[in-house]
Amino acid sequence: LDGLTQVPNRMAYDLRLVEEYKRFQRFNQATVIIAWDIDHFKKINDAYGHRAGDKVLRIVADSLASRIRGTDFLARYGGEEFVMILTGTSPQDALRVAEGIREAIGQLGFHFRGAPVGITLSGGISAFREGDTPEDVFDRADKALYKAKGDGRNRCYLA
């Protein structure tokens, strides 16, 4: 577990990704990765301090975890990045889920020492495909994430 957010950490994600990839190869069940990044996180740390940034990370992790099914998986990938694995989910359904999550987090109404702190997320989504390696599917999600950030943030793109 990640010590700060209490969600699984990067190593747990790496292990789970391999398991889900093997399951995908055997059963060909739709499986999707969503890569998330908190928009302008450095500005939150710079403006309000690292304690506020830590609180934002915990709130985002709790919010992400509360919005997925028990069969899905969430991990803190590193820094202000999180990753989800959604099994039995089509890319279009994953996009709808991601948009709902993004909108909910944008409405959290987080305050630190009485000051409102806006929180938004960008997301990149990619489905497992025949012939993929686990790294391929993550790389596509990561590229979609960076396109979302480059196009103005606070949006989700499907690779």
Side-chain angles (χ1 to χ4, degrees):
L1 285 181
D2 175 66
L4 178 63
T5 62
Q6 296 302 300
V7 298
N9 62 17
R10 169 80 179 267
M11 184 167 57
Y13 162 75
D14 289 341
L15 294 171
R16 181 68 177 260
L17 180 62
V18 170
E19 289 174 17
E20 295 300 343
Y21 178 71
K22 288 177 184 175
R23 219 173 261 118
F24 167 76
Q25 287 183 307
R26 179 159 184 207
F27 300 112
N28 200 27
Q29 179 181 6
T31 304
V32 174
I33 289 179
I34 305 176
W36 294 104
D37 188 84
I38 300 173
D39 297 328
H40 302 294
F41 185 73
K42 184 178 180 339
K43 289 182 181 180
I44 294 170
N45 275 339
D46 291 348
Y48 302 100
H50 289 278
R51 280 191 32 207
D54 288 351
K55 192 168 184 182
V56 166
L57 288 169
R58 286 191 295 270
I59 287 169
V60 168
D62 289 346
S63 188
L64 290 171
S66 72
R67 287 176 168 76
I68 57 173
R69 303 166 298 188
T71 55
D72 296 330
F73 183 80
L74 168 70
R76 183 174 177 200
Y77 192 76
E80 71 275 11
E81 295 179 329
F82 294 86
V83 65
M84 291 176 167
I85 303 173
L86 282 63
T87 57
T89 305
S90 73
Q92 289 303 322
D93 286 342
L95 180 59
R96 280 190 288 280
V97 167
E99 284 294 340
I101 289 170
R102 185 189 59 74
E103 289 174 11
I105 287 182
Q107 297 174 7
L108 284 176
F110 173 67
H111 287 76
F112 187 76
R113 295 189 179 143
V117 179
I119 303 170
T120 61
L121 295 178
S122 296
I125 304 158
S126 180
F128 285 34
R129 298 177 188 159
E130 190 64 39
D132 272 346
T133 66
E135 294 80 17
D136 292 335
V137 70
F138 179 81
D139 288 347
R140 282 194 308 272
D142 199 41
K143 284 179 184 166
L145 167 63
Y146 279 93
K147 180 169 176 28
K149 293 182 82 59
D151 285 354
R153 295 179 170 80
N154 193 25
R155 63 194 72 220
C156 297
Y157 284 161
L158 182 58

